[in-house]
């Protein structure tokens, strides 16, 4: 296997073609997120929406499960019926369409198979984050759901398991032969340095960064997968989408607000107050955004 040099995480820019910092030349990429809801706002659909929006995408959702969840753990899970999950997906695709799909928590094996059936008919890049256990340790996928994950492995442009999830799927050698590309996340490993490895087409790229001593790690996997899906929807090559996503996760960890008494949320907003960015807005119609925003500065 050819191994590329290790890439040290940096906040490098990977801008899609036609991108303008002040005004989009084209509509934003449409990212369909199929995942569960986290009432605490740190992971799941909530983290996905914030991530996609921050990276310039348009987030759309199909909620597979509702959780009662905070930084201390998951207190209750209510799967959304399969027909309702699929109705959300069909509604979005029929009207708005999509440029990429991110799959996170799946509420049931029935939903997993129905979703796989639908994705097989679509020509879209799919990022599959095989969510099984929350950061707090709560189980989010039973044996039947995990077995159904096999279908997503074959559909995905990229699968993004952490080390325990990779083991539950049969190990790296098994998964590598079932999915087109594999991102092995090293956050659950030992030592002061975290290494993430992207394996595709017989080649491997690695990213290394120091382990950050923080409890604000809730939603890192969701955030990373959604960030990659956004990059793919923008037309970035896979390695560039991964590079930018890892950088975004590191930035969000550094900007964590320190909420809750357990595994707290990341700082997806990177410490910004988005409203005040109206000061930099440009309007084709001549609207004076700066004057309006100055009233609130």
């Amino acid at each position: 296997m050819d191994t590329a040099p290790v890439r040290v995480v940096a906040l490098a820019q990977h801008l899609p073609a036609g991108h303008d910092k002040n005004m989009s030349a084209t509509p934003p990429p449409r990212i369909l997120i199929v995942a569960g809801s986290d009432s605490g706002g740190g992971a799941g659909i909530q983290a996905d929406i914030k991530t996609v929006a921050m990276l310039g995408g348009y987030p759309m959702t199909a909620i597979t499960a509702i959780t009662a969840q905070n930084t201390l753990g998951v207190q209750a899970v209510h799967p959304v019926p399969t027909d309702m999950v699929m109705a959300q997906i069909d509604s979005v695709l029929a009207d708005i369409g999509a440029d990429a799909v991110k799959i996170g928590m799946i509420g049931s094996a029935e939903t997993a198979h129905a979703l796989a059936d639908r994705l097989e008919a679509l020509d879209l890049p799919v990022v599959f984050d095989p969510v099984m256990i929350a950061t707090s340790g709560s189980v989010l996928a039973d044996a039947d759901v995990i077995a159904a994950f096999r279908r997503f492995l074959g559909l995905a442009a990229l699968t993004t398991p952490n080390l325990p999830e990779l083991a539950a799927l049969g190990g790296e050698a098994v998964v590598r032969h079932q999915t087109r590309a594999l991102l092995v996340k090293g956050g659950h490993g030992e030592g002061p340095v975290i290494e993430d490895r992207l394996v595709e087409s017989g080649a491997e790229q690695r990213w290394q960064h120091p382990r950050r001593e923080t409890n604000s790690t809730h939603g890192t996997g969701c955030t990373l997968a959604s960030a990659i899906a956004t990059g793919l929807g923008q037309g970035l090559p896979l390695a560039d989408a991964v590079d930018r996503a890892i950088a975004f996760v590191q930035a969000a960890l550094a900007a964590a607000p320190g909420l809750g008494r357990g595994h707290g949320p990341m700082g997806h907003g990177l410490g910004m107050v988005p409203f005040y960015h109206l000061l930099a807005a440009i309007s084709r119609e001549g609207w004076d955004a700066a004057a309006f925003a100055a009233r609130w500065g």
Side-chain angles (χ1 to χ4, degrees):
M1 176 182 295
D2 296 329
T3 303
V6 174
R7 301 171 74 168
V8 178
V9 172
L11 286 176
Q13 289 187 339
H14 297 289
L15 300 179
H19 176 88
D20 186 290
K21 290 187 294 184
N22 296 314
M23 183 180 299
S24 297
T26 58
R30 305 156 296 175
I31 313 301
L32 173 58
I33 306 156
V34 185
S37 171
D38 173 5
S39 59
I45 286 285
Q46 286 79 357
D48 297 325
I49 291 173
K50 288 181 280 190
T51 298
V52 172
M54 283 295 292
L55 292 176
Y58 180 74
M60 306 167 294
T61 64
I63 298 176
T64 60
I66 301 169
T67 70
Q69 185 175 171
N70 54 30
T71 68
L72 299 174
V74 180
Q75 293 79 46
V77 177
H78 177 69
V80 174
T82 298
D83 59 352
M84 185 59 195
V85 175
M86 300 313 298
Q88 295 173 77
I89 293 170
D90 291 343
S91 177
V92 166
L93 293 178
D95 178 37
I96 302 172
D99 297 299
V101 178
K102 181 261 176 153
I103 302 173
M105 178 185 177
I106 300 296
S108 69
E110 179 186 0
T111 295
H113 286 296
L115 175 59
D117 289 342
R118 188 71 86 255
L119 292 177
E120 285 174 349
L122 301 176
D123 184 20
L124 294 172
V126 175
V127 176
F128 173 40
D129 181 25
V131 175
M132 301 178 192
I133 301 175
T135 302
S136 61
S138 300
V139 176
L140 297 176
D142 60 25
D144 290 338
V145 173
I146 294 173
F149 281 173
R150 302 291 176 190
R151 295 189 65 188
F152 293 136
L153 293 176
L155 290 166
L158 177 68
T159 301
T160 64
N162 59 35
L163 296 178
E165 291 163 349
L166 185 60
L169 290 171
E172 182 174 339
V174 172
V175 176
R176 278 173 52 191
H177 287 90
Q178 295 179 331
T179 192
R180 276 177 276 174
L182 172 66
L183 180 65
V184 181
K185 300 180 296 189
H188 285 74
E190 301 293 333
V193 176
I194 293 176
E195 181 174 271
D196 301 314
R197 295 186 294 113
L198 173 63
V199 183
E200 57 172 337
S201 302
E204 179 177 304
Q205 295 190 57
R206 293 178 288 165
W207 287 260
Q208 291 182 345
H209 50 86
R211 186 178 300 276
R212 187 179 296 275
E213 296 300 326
T214 177
N215 286 329
S216 298
T217 57
H218 189 45
T220 49
C222 303
T223 299
L224 181 66
S226 286
I228 295 170
T230 305
L232 295 180
Q234 290 168 325
L236 292 179
L238 178 58
D240 284 351
V242 170
D243 188 61
R244 188 183 69 171
I246 291 175
F248 179 73
V249 169
Q250 291 300 300
L253 284 170
L259 302 177
R261 292 177 288 129
H263 295 282
M266 304 159 65
H268 292 90
L270 307 182
M272 298 185 293
V273 180
F275 177 82
Y276 296 118
H277 285 233
L278 281 172
L279 288 168
I282 298 173
S283 169
R284 289 189 177 93
E285 291 75 32
W287 177 58
D288 191 350
F292 183 85
R295 293 163 45 192
W296 301 92

